[in-house]
Amino acid sequence: MNSPDAPRVEIRQNLWRLALGLLVLLGCVIAIVRLLRPELEATAQWFVSRYGVWGLAMGTLIADGFHVPVPAQFYMLLGLSSGIAPGNMMVAICVGSSIGGVLSYLIGGQLQNVNLVKRWLAKPTELAAAALKRYGAWALVAVSVLPLGYSTLCCLCGLSRVAPRYFALVAVLRVPRLFVYFYIIKVGYHVAL
């Protein structure tokens, strides 16, 4: 039987994991900028001159809509390295991330119909449904701070048949997290200079 303090301990552990993940992001940005600054800036200039700010949005959509190894933060670093206006970049990235999240949610809903996936994810889906039933929207608020990829979270929401109104909460909570990532990337970029 779990103690009453078990949820608090779990939340604290997840917050530490999130903080550690943010520090790793900061360290990676500093290392990339220090070691590869000319290449990074040349790549960023090429990408933004060729695809523009909406290329950053499309890259983020692909990153957050599908399980690809290039995260949305990469496009933030490209945008920052290119010198594009941060406000325009963040609007495009937030739009791309929102559309990508919806796409991943819809894909997750369709994967629920695949027998192999249904069997493989039966237990996690059951646990997610129980958490939603017990804690409601607060379960999604708690999950949104987990060090879990956004596309994975959205796909799991679709697999778990999370109601669209609850999924909208997950999507809205993504925006402040994107701004936290941007701030960390910006700090790392400037520290590395």
Side-chain angles (χ1 to χ4, degrees), residues 54-68 70-72 75 92-104 107 150-151 174:
W54 294 108
L56 299 171
M58 185 57 72
T60 304
L61 183 153
I62 292 167
D64 286 348
F66 304 98
H67 302 284
V68 295
V70 179
Y75 297 98
I93 285 176
C94 287
V95 167
S97 183
S98 297
I99 295 169
V102 169
L103 183 61
S104 188
I107 289 169
Y150 183 61
S151 61
R174 171 67 168 170

Side-chain angles (χ1 to χ4, degrees), residues 44-45 47-48 56 73-86 89 93 182:
Q45 288 295 328
F47 186 89
V48 171
L56 299 171
Q73 293 82 350
F74 171 77
Y75 297 98
M76 288 180 195
L77 183 57
L78 273 184
L80 186 65
S81 300
S82 74
I84 198 166
M89 177 188 69
I93 285 176
F182 174 69

